[in-house]
PDB file of all heavy atoms in Angstrom:
ATOM      1  N   GLY A   1     285.746 377.493  19.568  1.00  0.00           N
ATOM      2  CA  GLY A   1     286.390 377.422  18.283  1.00  0.00           C
ATOM      3  C   GLY A   1     287.296 376.225  18.169  1.00  0.00           C
ATOM      4  O   GLY A   1     287.706 375.644  19.154  1.00  0.00           O
ATOM      5  N   GLY A   2     287.627 375.940  16.919  1.00  0.00           N
ATOM      6  CA  GLY A   2     288.521 374.826  16.617  1.00  0.00           C
ATOM      7  C   GLY A   2     289.964 375.270  16.597  1.00  0.00           C
ATOM      8  O   GLY A   2     290.283 376.435  16.762  1.00  0.00           O
ATOM      9  N   ALA A   3     290.840 374.343  16.394  1.00  0.00           N
ATOM     10  CA  ALA A   3     292.272 374.623  16.324  1.00  0.00           C
ATOM     11  C   ALA A   3     292.598 375.258  14.978  1.00  0.00           C
ATOM     12  O   ALA A   3     291.953 374.965  13.973  1.00  0.00           O
ATOM     13  CB  ALA A   3     293.066 373.335  16.497  1.00  0.00           C
ATOM     14  N   THR A   4     293.575 376.139  15.006  1.00  0.00           N
ATOM     15  CA  THR A   4     294.037 376.715  13.749  1.00  0.00           C
ATOM     16  C   THR A   4     294.830 375.666  12.996  1.00  0.00           C
ATOM     17  O   THR A   4     295.226 374.646  13.571  1.00  0.00           O
ATOM     18  CB  THR A   4     294.924 377.945  14.000  1.00  0.00           C
ATOM     19  OG1 THR A   4     296.100 377.518  14.688  1.00  0.00           O
ATOM     20  CG2 THR A   4     294.191 379.010  14.806  1.00  0.00           C
ATOM     21  N   ALA A   5     295.075 375.908  11.714  1.00  0.00           N
ATOM     22  CA  ALA A   5     295.808 374.936  10.896  1.00  0.00           C
ATOM     23  C   ALA A   5     297.181 374.604  11.491  1.00  0.00           C
ATOM     24  O   ALA A   5     297.523 373.430  11.604  1.00  0.00           O
ATOM     25  CB  ALA A   5     295.929 375.438   9.461  1.00  0.00           C
ATOM     26  N   PRO A   6     297.988 375.612  11.904  1.00  0.00           N
ATOM     27  CA  PRO A   6     299.289 375.258  12.509  1.00  0.00           C
ATOM     28  C   PRO A   6     299.144 374.465  13.809  1.00  0.00           C
ATOM     29  O   PRO A   6     299.915 373.546  14.067  1.00  0.00           O
ATOM     30  CB  PRO A   6     299.947 376.617  12.757  1.00  0.00           C
ATOM     31  CG  PRO A   6     299.300 377.541  11.784  1.00  0.00           C
ATOM     32  CD  PRO A   6     297.879 377.048  11.664  1.00  0.00           C
ATOM     33  N   GLU A   7     298.120 374.807  14.628  1.00  0.00           N
ATOM     34  CA  GLU A   7     297.906 374.063  15.872  1.00  0.00           C
ATOM     35  C   GLU A   7     297.502 372.624  15.584  1.00  0.00           C
ATOM     36  O   GLU A   7     297.958 371.696  16.238  1.00  0.00           O
ATOM     37  CB  GLU A   7     296.830 374.742  16.723  1.00  0.00           C
ATOM     38  CG  GLU A   7     297.273 376.048  17.340  1.00  0.00           C
ATOM     39  CD  GLU A   7     296.112 376.773  18.011  1.00  0.00           C
ATOM     40  OE1 GLU A   7     294.940 376.449  17.714  1.00  0.00           O
ATOM     41  OE2 GLU A   7     296.391 377.679  18.801  1.00  0.00           O
ATOM     42  N   ALA A   8     296.638 372.438  14.595  1.00  0.00           N
ATOM     43  CA  ALA A   8     296.194 371.094  14.230  1.00  0.00           C
ATOM     44  C   ALA A   8     297.352 370.263  13.693  1.00  0.00           C
ATOM     45  O   ALA A   8     297.491 369.090  14.030  1.00  0.00           O
ATOM     46  CB  ALA A   8     295.072 371.165  13.198  1.00  0.00           C
ATOM     47  N   LEU A   9     298.198 370.889  12.868  1.00  0.00           N
ATOM     48  CA  LEU A   9     299.369 370.193  12.338  1.00  0.00           C
ATOM     49  C   LEU A   9     300.320 369.824  13.461  1.00  0.00           C
ATOM     50  O   LEU A   9     300.824 368.709  13.523  1.00  0.00           O
ATOM     51  CB  LEU A   9     300.074 371.067  11.292  1.00  0.00           C
ATOM     52  CG  LEU A   9     301.290 370.440  10.623  1.00  0.00           C
ATOM     53  CD1 LEU A   9     300.904 369.153   9.904  1.00  0.00           C
ATOM     54  CD2 LEU A   9     301.910 371.414   9.634  1.00  0.00           C
ATOM     55  N   SER A  10     300.526 370.764  14.385  1.00  0.00           N
ATOM     56  CA  SER A  10     301.406 370.508  15.526  1.00  0.00           C
ATOM     57  C   SER A  10     300.860 369.366  16.377  1.00  0.00           C
ATOM     58  O   SER A  10     301.600 368.489  16.806  1.00  0.00           O
ATOM     59  CB  SER A  10     301.548 371.776  16.364  1.00  0.00           C
ATOM     60  OG  SER A  10     302.297 371.520  17.513  1.00  0.00           O
ATOM     61  N   SER A  11     299.549 369.371  16.609  1.00  0.00           N
ATOM     62  CA  SER A  11     298.915 368.322  17.391  1.00  0.00           C
ATOM     63  C   SER A  11     299.041 366.965  16.692  1.00  0.00           C
ATOM     64  O   SER A  11     299.338 365.956  17.328  1.00  0.00           O
ATOM     65  CB  SER A  11     297.448 368.664  17.614  1.00  0.00           C
ATOM     66  OG  SER A  11     296.810 367.632  18.328  1.00  0.00           O
ATOM     67  N   ALA A  12     298.834 366.955  15.381  1.00  0.00           N
ATOM     68  CA  ALA A  12     298.956 365.708  14.616  1.00  0.00           C
ATOM     69  C   ALA A  12     300.387 365.198  14.653  1.00  0.00           C
ATOM     70  O   ALA A  12     300.628 363.991  14.805  1.00  0.00           O
ATOM     71  CB  ALA A  12     298.507 365.927  13.176  1.00  0.00           C
ATOM     72  N   ALA A  13     301.347 366.107  14.535  1.00  0.00           N
ATOM     73  CA  ALA A  13     302.756 365.707  14.582  1.00  0.00           C
ATOM     74  C   ALA A  13     303.114 365.138  15.951  1.00  0.00           C
ATOM     75  O   ALA A  13     303.838 364.140  16.055  1.00  0.00           O
ATOM     76  CB  ALA A  13     303.654 366.896  14.246  1.00  0.00           C
ATOM     77  N   LEU A  14     302.584 365.745  17.006  1.00  0.00           N
ATOM     78  CA  LEU A  14     302.845 365.253  18.356  1.00  0.00           C
ATOM     79  C   LEU A  14     302.215 363.879  18.561  1.00  0.00           C
ATOM     80  O   LEU A  14     302.846 362.980  19.120  1.00  0.00           O
ATOM     81  CB  LEU A  14     302.323 366.243  19.396  1.00  0.00           C
ATOM     82  CG  LEU A  14     302.541 365.857  20.858  1.00  0.00           C
ATOM     83  CD1 LEU A  14     304.019 365.642  21.160  1.00  0.00           C
ATOM     84  CD2 LEU A  14     301.961 366.919  21.769  1.00  0.00           C
TER      85      LEU A  14
END
Side-chain angles (χ1 to χ4, degrees):
T4 64
E7 289 172 342
L9 182 60
S10 175
S11 178
L14 180 58

